[in-house]
Amino acid sequence: MYEAHVTVVGNAATQVEFRTTDAGLPFAWFRLASTVRRFDRARGGWADSYSSFYTVWARRSLAANLSSSVTIGEPLIVQGQLRVREGSREGRESASVDLLASAIGHDLSRGTSAFVRVSRATPGLTPDGSGERRRHPVAEVPTEARGAPEAPEAPEAKVPDLLTPS
């Protein structure tokens, strides 16, 4: 109830990793880079200032749709709950910023996208009934040409504490 809900605009910095829990619930994660741009008066134009990186987590149908819709470098808008985890690695203090996503979409101010509704009539099946999630046929550029291989079937993994329902 008192968690911070934020909207972050950025680019997918890593490939989406998709897994299922031992109970068969899907989840996915990727890194999002958000770069601040400032007007540089000395140069008379816009310049990149610094980048912040977030680990974006998605569950259930959002995770499944995310894994078949997003590749590295695509501009995204992510809305969700902000969580900061603190710890130490090799004797050094560290912190990571996570977003438990409630919505993810392409940033249409920087390009176009084709939406395909996924049928929910039969769980796990796509509209063509194959059970395999694929990019929309309108995306004529093959995935290999875009620099990201098709995601192989992922082994089962344990859900991080971040994803357990509160």
Side-chain angles (χ1 to χ4, degrees), residues 1 27 45 63-64 68 79 83 92 107 134 137 143:
M1 182 167 156
F27 68 99
S68 63
Q79 186 174 40
R83 304 225 175 130
R92 297 174 65 182
D107 183 352
R134 296 190 179 130
T143 305

Side-chain angles (χ1 to χ4, degrees), residues 74-156:
E74 291 184 342
L76 302 172
I77 300 173
V78 179
Q79 186 174 40
Q81 296 174 1
L82 183 68
R83 304 225 175 130
V84 178
R85 292 187 293 161
E86 296 177 354
S88 61
R89 278 189 173 171
E90 301 170 3
R92 297 174 65 182
E93 295 296 316
S94 66
S96 66
V97 181
D98 297 319
L99 280 173
L100 183 53
S102 57
I104 300 171
H106 288 107
D107 183 352
L108 297 181
S109 69
R110 298 193 276 160
T112 62
S113 186
F115 180 78
V116 177
R117 187 172 304 277
V118 177
S119 172
R120 301 289 179 215
T122 307
L125 292 183
T126 56
D128 66 359
S130 68
E132 296 180 23
R133 294 184 178 275
R134 296 190 179 130
R135 292 188 63 83
H136 189 275
V138 171
E140 295 176 11
V141 179
T143 305
E144 296 81 28
R146 296 170 58 176
E150 284 289 326
E153 195 62 34
E156 292 186 10

Side-chain angles (χ1 to χ4, degrees), residues 30-105:
F30 70 98
R31 298 280 288 164
L32 181 75
S34 180
T35 302
V36 173
R37 292 184 53 80
R38 305 246 190 253
F39 188 78
D40 185 349
R41 290 182 189 210
R43 292 165 61 188
W46 292 92
D48 290 347
S49 183
Y50 61 90
S51 295
S52 297
F53 290 86
Y54 304 87
T55 301
V56 178
W57 296 91
R59 298 185 295 178
R60 299 183 181 98
S61 63
L62 179 58
N65 293 337
L66 171 68
S67 68
S68 63
S69 300
V70 173
T71 58
I72 296 173
E74 291 184 342
L76 302 172
I77 300 173
V78 179
Q79 186 174 40
Q81 296 174 1
L82 183 68
R83 304 225 175 130
V84 178
R85 292 187 293 161
E86 296 177 354
S88 61
R89 278 189 173 171
E90 301 170 3
R92 297 174 65 182
E93 295 296 316
S94 66
S96 66
V97 181
D98 297 319
L99 280 173
L100 183 53
S102 57
I104 300 171

